[in-house]
Amino acid sequence: MTRLVMRVAMGGAVRVLALIAAGWTTSAAAADVNYGSPYTVNQPLNAYSWAGPYLGGNTGYGWGSVDNNPTRPSGFAGGVQAGYNFQNGTPWVFGLEGDIQASAADDTFAPWKFSNPWFGTVRGRAGYAFNNVLFYATGGLAFGELRGETFGMSESHTNAGFTVGAGAEMGFAPNWSAKIEYLYVDLGNSNFAITGGAANGYSFSLVRAGINYHF
């Protein structure tokens, strides 16, 4: 049932991303906006280039569930990201991105409280650019902490798992872009003594918005 809810949430979030990004594309085309920087030698004249390194920040909201436990931690998250895009004279854009996030996601049920204080990802990105609007899919490694508490006892495990998602990014000024992104994150399982040795793991959906500076 939990996985079904996650799939429904993912589908809804992706549809929202598509609608917002479509609005960006229409707006940019109508205004015939030309953001001339950054350029690369191999890009066509007057075409926006996504190539090169970037650094930025993001904020969003995550909601999910703990395996083999009724808690459903949710809360705001925010952090920083850095990456590098490759583009060589075509609309196709490929890149690598890493991020680290602080998270306020937690939930309490009966004697147990579970929280996710932090997490991070290292992902590949592949997308198609309509000049200054980029649509992309992303996926890779996820890692983070799951903390359990009960009757004054606390137990934490740091696990590695996976993440997949999609997003849209728009260059709105020279060197600056804004993005909206959906990720599904599974941090894997660890055996928690406070739950009787059960395999507890945190998986969640995350919708976030961010801004990047391109060097």
Side-chain angles (χ1 to χ4, degrees), residues 73 76-78 100-106 113-120 143-149 154-158 187 192 202 204:
F76 289 97
I100 190 73
Q101 311 287 130
S103 172
D106 64 22
K113 177 181 179 180
F114 273 96
S115 60
N116 170 227
W118 67 272
F119 65 94
F143 51 92
E145 179 186 353
L146 181 61
R147 180 179 300 166
E149 301 172 60
S154 178
E155 182 178 357
S156 294
H157 294 272
T158 299
L187 295 180
F192 275 77
Y202 183 45
F204 61 98

Side-chain angles (χ1 to χ4, degrees), residues 109-114 148-155 193-195:
F109 185 92
W112 298 289
K113 177 181 179 180
F114 273 96
E149 301 172 60
T150 187
F151 298 116
M153 297 181 294
S154 178
E155 182 178 357
I194 64 170
T195 58

Side-chain angles (χ1 to χ4, degrees), residues 42-64:
N42 293 320
Q43 286 300 102
L45 185 63
N46 293 328
Y48 185 89
S49 174
W50 290 94
Y54 59 90
L55 177 68
N58 68 81
T59 185
Y61 190 85
W63 67 98

Side-chain angles (χ1 to χ4, degrees), residues 4-15:
L4 177 60
V5 172
M6 289 297 179
R7 286 195 292 268
V8 172
M10 179 184 292
V14 170
R15 284 193 292 271

Side-chain angles (χ1 to χ4, degrees), residues 37-86:
S37 178
Y39 282 110
T40 58
V41 173
N42 293 320
Q43 286 300 102
L45 185 63
N46 293 328
Y48 185 89
S49 174
W50 290 94
Y54 59 90
L55 177 68
N58 68 81
T59 185
Y61 190 85
W63 67 98
S65 61
V66 175
D67 292 339
N68 300 311
N69 191 272
T71 53
R72 303 179 63 84
S74 61
F76 289 97
V80 296
Q81 71 270 350
Y84 195 99
N85 289 323
F86 302 87

